[in-house]
Amino acid sequence: MSKQLQRPPSAATQESDLWLQHLQRRVMLLLLRHDQKLFQGQFRTFYVGSSLPTLPLLQFYDRYLKLQLFSAELLDDILPRVRRQWSLQTSQLALNEEAPVRGEIDWSRTIARTLAEAPDQPPLRFDTRLRQQSMHIPENVLVVAILLRYRQLVQGTLRDDQREEMLTSQERQQLVSLDERLERELATPHTRALAEDARKADLDTLMPQVSAQLRPGSNPYRDLMAWWEQVSSLYIGATGNSADQQRHLTLLSRRRDAQMAQWLYELWLALELLTFFQEMPEAQLSDVEVSCNQLRWRFTWQERRFHFHFQRQLSPSNDGEASAWQNIPVSQPSFTIMREHPLKVEHKGTLIWKEPPFVLSAVYPAPEQAEARLGEAIQRLLGLMQVQRAPQGALCCPIVAAPEPGQQISGTVRPDERQYVNSASVHTSLTLYKLTPDLPGDRLQERLRAILDQAIASLPERAAPACHGFMLDVDSINDSNDRLQEFDTVCPKPHIGPGIFDLVHSNHHCGRDPRVCHIVGQVALPPRVVRVLNMDDLKLQIDKLREYGAASLLQISDADHENVAEQLSSQILQSVGTMVEQYFEKHGDVQSQEKYLREVFGDYWKHQSRSLAEETRHILLSGEYVWDEYEKSGLKDWAAPAIQYCRALEREIKHRIYAPKRFDYTIKEKSWTLGTPKRLYEHRKDVRGDDRSNWDLMVEVASLSGVSPKDFETVMKRLYDEQVSNARNDLAHGKPIDKQRARKLREIIIGHKGNGILCWIAENLDPAREPY
C-alpha cells in the first residue's frame, strides 16, 4: 500500500482534484436521476437540518431542482391567470371642455354653471369626468419584480454550470429555454413599463402591502406570492450574510475542504449502490426512505432479503437500541447491511444479543499525509466493528493499492495468525476495496458486486439458539494438578458463529444465566456426562434427570405448565432412552427378547409394509432387555423399561398420525407428544378451534389407512382412559415407578398376542411414506 502512495505531492493533489470533479458530476447525475422516482422529490430532507446544507454541490442541486419543479407552475398556470386579471388602477379627473368632449358630461354641474354665467344661451362648455387607468399599481409591480428575480436565479445557475460543467447538455438547454421564456415575459409592453419600479422594489415590503389590498377568495396574485414563498424557502444558500457568499457558489474543486470531500465520497458510494440495486431486477429494490442524514432501503440478494442503511459519518445514531457498551454514545458506521429479520436473543424484555450487521465504510483522505489518514480510518472502522460486534467489514478508499488482475479485493486486515487471538477475534477481518470516482462503469459494478457478495456471505441464515454444550471430564489431570471448579462445561454457540463458545458451570449458568445461556426459559436439559456401566449407574443417571425435571416444573408458570411439561417430559424420556440403549448396546444379547416381541407383533414386527420402524424395534428391544435385567437385580424403580415402552408408542403415533400431514396440523413437531392425542380427544366435540381441527385431521389420516372414525375413536378413548400420557409424565419427573405399575403400562402398550395399543397401531395405520 505504501508504494501506491509514494507519489509527488503535486501529482497527488492534481489527481485528487480530478477525482473531486468526477464526484461532483456523478453525484449530481445520480441525484437528478433518482429524485422523482426513488426519492419522490424528498431527497433534500437528507441534508436539511444537518451540517450538510453548506455543501455547495447540494446547494447547486437544490437550486436546479427548484427551477425544474416550479417553472411550469409559474409560466403555465399562474401567469396566464394574472394576465387575465391584470389589475388596472382607475381615477376620475374633473374637466371643463368644449365639444367634442373626452369625458362623461356632468349635466347637473354644467346646467348650474351655464344658468349662472349665461342664462339665455345654450351651454358651449361642459363639465365632464374623465376616468384614467394606470398600470403602476403594487400588484403589477410585484409580478414583474418576481419575474426579474426568478430570471436572475436561472442565469446564476447557468453561469455556475458553465464554470463547473455540472449539468448535461440537455439539462443545460432546458435552463436556456427557461431563461428565453422569462425574457419574453419581461419584454411585453405591460411588464417593460414596470421594469424600473420592479427593480427598485423591496419584496419583503411589497408582498404584505399587496396581500392587504386583495379581496378574500381565489386570486392569482395570492397564488403568485405563495409560489414565491415556497421557492424562497427551498433555497439552500451559503451560510452567513456576506455579499461575497451570496455572489459566489464555489464547488469543491475550488474549495479544498477535506470534510466536504469525505461527505461527498460517502454520498457517491451510497448513490452508486442504490443505482446498482435499481438496475438489477432480481435485487427487488423497495422501501427507499430518506430522512435527515439517513438513507435506507431493502433489497433481495441471492434470493434473500436484506436491509441497507446509510448514515452520514459523524452523525448520531437513532436506531432506538442501546449500545452493547457502557459509558459511550451509540456508534453507527457509515453503511450497514443486515438481514431483514436479524436474530435476537432476549430475556424478559432485555436484549442479550443481536445478530451483528456487515459494516461498510468509505474514506477519502486528503492528499496531504494520505497514508496516515488511511491508517486512522482503518483503526476507526475496526473500533466501530468492535462496538457493533461485527466480525466482518469493508473499507472503500480511492488510494489503496489496486487489486491483482482478475481480483476485486485490494487487501485484508486481519489478526496475525502467528500470535494468539481468542475464538471471537480470530474470525474478525476488514477487507479493503479501491473505489475511485473515475472507475469505468462495468468495473465499478464488478467491485460493488464483490462487496455485496462478501456482505451476504457474512450474514448467513442462523438457526435458533439451542443447547450444544458438553461437559469437561471431571477426571482430567494435568501437570499443574488443577481441578475443575469454576467451569465444567463448554457451551458452543453456532447461532453466533463457528468456533464461538463460552466456558460455563452447569449448575450456575445452564438454564439460569441468560447472558451465557441463550435458551433460558426454553425447555431443555442441561449438558451431562453419561457413563452407564451397570444397572446402578443407569438408575443413578435416571434419578438425576427425573429430579431435574421435577425441579424445573416448579419454576414454570401455571399458564405454560401443561405445554412445557409435555416438552420437558419428551426430552427426559429421550435422554433416559439414550442411556438405556447405551447400556443395552454394551451388555445386550437380545435373542430371547426379540423372540418374545415377534410373537406379540407377528408379521408387523419386521416383514410387513406396516411393520414397526427400525428405531422403534430398537427401543422395544432395549426396554425388554432392561426389564429382564430389573427382574434379576431386584431394583424397585422400574422407570427405565417403562420409559422405553412409552417412547416406542409415542414415536409410532407421531410417525403414523402426525408425519403424513405434519404441515397441515397447527401443532409444531416439537410440541407433538404422547399427551397430544389425549388433549385432542378431550376437545373432539368442540364447535370450533384448533384442537377440533387437529382432531378431524387425525381422523382423516386414519381413514386413509382404511380405519373407520368409530374404530379410531375407540382406540384413542382407550389411550385416554388408561391415562398413558399421565404415566409418561410421572416417568419423566415423578416419584419412583414400582414393578406393578410398570407391568400395567407394558400390558397396555404391548399386551399379549396383539391386544396392546401399539400392536393395533402397527396393524391398522400406514406409516409416513417419507422417512421421519
Side-chain angles (χ1 to χ4, degrees), residues 202-434:
D202 180 7
L203 286 179
D204 292 337
T205 303
L206 188 58
M207 290 179 67
Q209 179 183 348
V210 171
S211 180
Q213 295 177 357
L214 295 178
R215 295 179 179 178
S218 177
N219 190 292
Y221 292 101
R222 185 176 288 108
D223 294 342
L224 177 64
M225 287 187 290
W227 175 88
W228 179 249
E229 287 177 351
Q230 190 175 12
V231 171
S232 301
S233 65
L234 281 176
Y235 179 73
I236 307 297
T239 57
N241 298 316
S242 68
D244 181 68
Q245 286 178 315
Q246 295 295 337
R247 211 170 33 242
H248 300 291
L249 188 63
T250 56
L251 296 176
L252 288 178
S253 59
R254 295 180 180 272
R255 294 179 59 190
R256 205 177 310 283
D257 188 320
Q259 188 181 46
M260 289 186 177
Q262 170 66 34
W263 290 345
L264 189 61
Y265 187 71
E266 287 182 2
L267 179 59
W268 168 69
L269 178 57
L271 294 174
E272 290 290 4
L273 285 167
L274 182 62
T275 305
F276 177 83
F277 286 121
Q278 187 190 38
E279 293 175 351
M280 299 290 176
E282 67 273 19
Q284 299 178 25
L285 178 68
S286 64
D287 301 327
V288 179
E289 299 178 11
V290 186
S291 57
C292 183
N293 294 322
Q294 311 278 331
L295 183 57
R296 305 169 186 264
W297 64 79
R298 299 183 189 276
F299 67 95
T300 299
W301 198 251
Q302 298 176 5
E303 299 183 351
R304 297 166 58 207
R305 291 291 291 171
F306 297 90
H307 178 262
F308 183 95
H309 181 198
F310 166 50
Q311 176 166 292
R312 186 176 63 80
Q313 196 176 84
L314 304 181
S315 57
S317 175
N318 60 353
D319 60 6
E321 289 193 355
S323 171
W325 295 73
Q326 293 182 344
N327 300 322
I328 64 170
V330 178
S331 298
Q332 176 70 44
S334 299
F335 306 88
T336 54
I337 301 175
M338 63 178 60
R339 294 194 302 129
E340 186 173 34
H341 302 292
L343 178 64
K344 294 183 180 181
V345 177
E346 297 178 304
H347 180 68
K348 295 182 178 180
T350 300
L351 181 65
I352 304 299
W353 178 84
K354 178 183 178 181
E355 176 182 340
F358 176 81
V359 174
L360 176 65
S361 188
V363 60
Y364 190 93
E368 304 82 10
Q369 301 179 332
E371 187 170 8
R373 297 291 181 264
L374 176 59
E376 293 173 0
I378 292 174
Q379 294 181 57
R380 185 186 310 114
L381 183 54
L382 286 172
L384 283 171
M385 290 170 58
Q386 179 75 0
V387 171
Q388 293 282 326
R389 298 183 175 177
Q392 297 290 314
L395 179 67
C396 299
C397 179
I399 65 168
V400 299
E404 296 293 331
Q407 301 294 321
Q408 302 298 333
I409 297 174
S410 296
T412 303
V413 180
R414 60 166 63 94
D416 189 341
E417 296 179 355
R418 296 170 297 181
Q419 300 184 27
Y420 169 78
V421 290
N422 59 39
S423 61
S425 299
V426 73
H427 300 288
T428 301
S429 65
L430 174 59
T431 307
L432 303 177
Y433 291 92
K434 184 179 180 67

Side-chain angles (χ1 to χ4, degrees), residues 648-764:
L649 178 61
E650 183 172 86
R651 191 197 181 283
E652 286 299 318
I653 289 178
K654 197 169 185 179
H655 185 50
R656 297 168 188 258
I657 296 179
Y658 177 76
K661 295 280 188 179
R662 61 182 179 272
F663 298 116
D664 297 330
Y665 286 100
T666 61
I667 303 172
K668 296 182 179 179
E669 179 183 348
K670 67 178 182 180
S671 298
W672 183 283
T673 67
L674 194 55
T676 304
K678 170 197 170 185
R679 188 184 78 245
L680 300 185
Y681 175 82
E682 288 179 312
H683 296 276
R684 68 192 185 282
K685 295 183 179 180
D686 290 352
V687 177
R688 62 177 64 88
D690 287 344
D691 284 347
R692 170 60 187 270
S693 300
N694 290 323
W695 169 261
D696 291 341
L697 193 56
M698 286 178 62
V699 174
E700 178 186 341
V701 172
S703 67
L704 296 176
S705 299
V707 177
S708 68
K710 182 179 179 180
D711 290 344
F712 180 75
E713 184 173 336
T714 299
V715 175
M716 292 297 105
K717 182 178 184 301
R718 183 183 176 191
L719 189 68
Y720 175 80
D721 291 341
E722 300 288 358
Q723 298 185 350
V724 176
S725 63
N726 293 345
R728 162 196 177 270
N729 291 344
D730 289 341
L731 288 169
H733 34 68
K735 297 179 180 179
I737 303 296
D738 58 27
K739 182 178 179 179
Q740 182 179 357
R741 190 174 182 190
R743 185 184 299 279
K744 181 180 179 182
L745 193 61
R746 181 174 182 243
E747 292 176 355
I748 294 170
I749 295 175
I750 299 178
H752 299 283
K753 297 181 181 180
N755 64 349
I757 295 177
L758 185 57
C759 295
W760 185 93
I761 289 174
E763 183 177 349
N764 292 279

Side-chain angles (χ1 to χ4, degrees), residues 424-634:
S425 299
V426 73
H427 300 288
T428 301
S429 65
L430 174 59
T431 307
L432 303 177
Y433 291 92
K434 184 179 180 67
L435 282 183
T436 60
D438 59 350
L439 200 64
D442 55 344
R443 291 177 59 190
L444 176 62
Q445 286 211 349
E446 291 175 358
R447 205 142 298 172
L448 294 178
R449 181 181 291 273
I451 295 173
L452 291 169
D453 286 342
Q454 180 195 354
I456 299 323
S458 70
L459 298 170
E461 296 295 325
R462 297 173 185 263
C467 181
H468 298 272
F470 53 91
M471 298 192 71
L472 301 172
D473 197 331
V474 295
D475 296 330
S476 296
I477 60 174
N478 52 57
D479 290 341
S480 301
N481 293 319
D482 294 332
R483 307 290 291 181
L484 287 174
Q485 294 180 1
E486 186 175 0
F487 306 110
D488 65 359
T489 304
V490 176
C491 179
K493 292 183 169 54
H495 61 280
I496 294 181
I500 304 299
F501 62 89
D502 293 311
L503 288 176
V504 301
H505 196 285
S506 57
N507 292 335
H508 302 154
H509 301 113
C510 295
R512 292 175 173 84
D513 188 346
R515 294 177 301 111
V516 291
C517 181
H518 291 175
I519 60 169
V520 172
Q522 297 184 22
V523 181
L525 299 178
R528 56 210 173 276
V529 175
V530 178
R531 287 191 180 93
V532 182
L533 303 179
N534 50 51
M535 293 299 293
D536 291 333
D537 287 342
L538 181 60
K539 181 181 183 305
L540 178 63
Q541 295 290 349
I542 293 175
D543 288 345
K544 286 183 178 180
L545 278 176
R546 298 176 72 200
E547 289 172 3
Y548 176 83
S552 298
L553 287 179
L554 296 177
Q555 303 175 14
I556 300 172
S557 65
D558 293 338
D560 299 331
H561 192 278
E562 181 178 356
N563 184 45
V564 174
E566 285 290 329
Q567 296 182 41
L568 185 60
S569 297
S570 291
Q571 293 189 20
I572 293 176
L573 295 184
Q574 177 65 35
S575 297
V576 171
T578 301
M579 290 187 290
V580 171
E581 290 156 21
Q582 183 185 97
Y583 175 79
F584 159 68
E585 289 170 0
K586 290 181 179 180
H587 303 279
D589 180 5
V590 292
Q591 291 184 5
S592 62
Q593 288 82 7
E594 185 168 8
K595 180 181 177 181
Y596 167 73
L597 291 171
R598 283 181 182 276
E599 293 176 356
V600 172
F601 287 94
D603 291 340
Y604 297 100
W605 171 253
K606 193 172 184 179
H607 299 293
Q608 289 282 351
S609 61
R610 288 180 177 174
S611 295
L612 298 175
E614 182 179 356
E615 181 181 348
T616 305
R617 296 198 301 271
H618 187 74
I619 293 172
L620 288 174
L621 283 171
S622 64
E624 281 297 295
Y625 179 83
V626 174
W627 180 278
D628 292 340
E629 289 292 298
Y630 269 47
E631 291 273 19
K632 300 174 186 177
S633 65

Side-chain angles (χ1 to χ4, degrees), residues 74-76 79-80 83 86 143-144 147 178-192:
L74 172 68
L75 298 174
D76 299 333
L79 278 183
R83 283 194 292 270
W86 193 264
V143 174
V144 179
L147 286 174
L178 175 60
D179 180 60
E180 292 175 348
R181 189 170 177 184
L182 289 171
E183 183 181 19
R184 290 194 295 271
E185 291 288 346
L186 290 168
T188 62
H190 293 321
T191 55
R192 193 169 56 245

Side-chain angles (χ1 to χ4, degrees), residues 130-144:
L130 179 64
R131 177 175 294 181
Q132 292 183 322
Q133 297 179 330
S134 174
M135 297 294 298
H136 292 269
I137 60 173
E139 292 94 319
N140 297 334
V141 174
L142 175 65
V143 174
V144 179

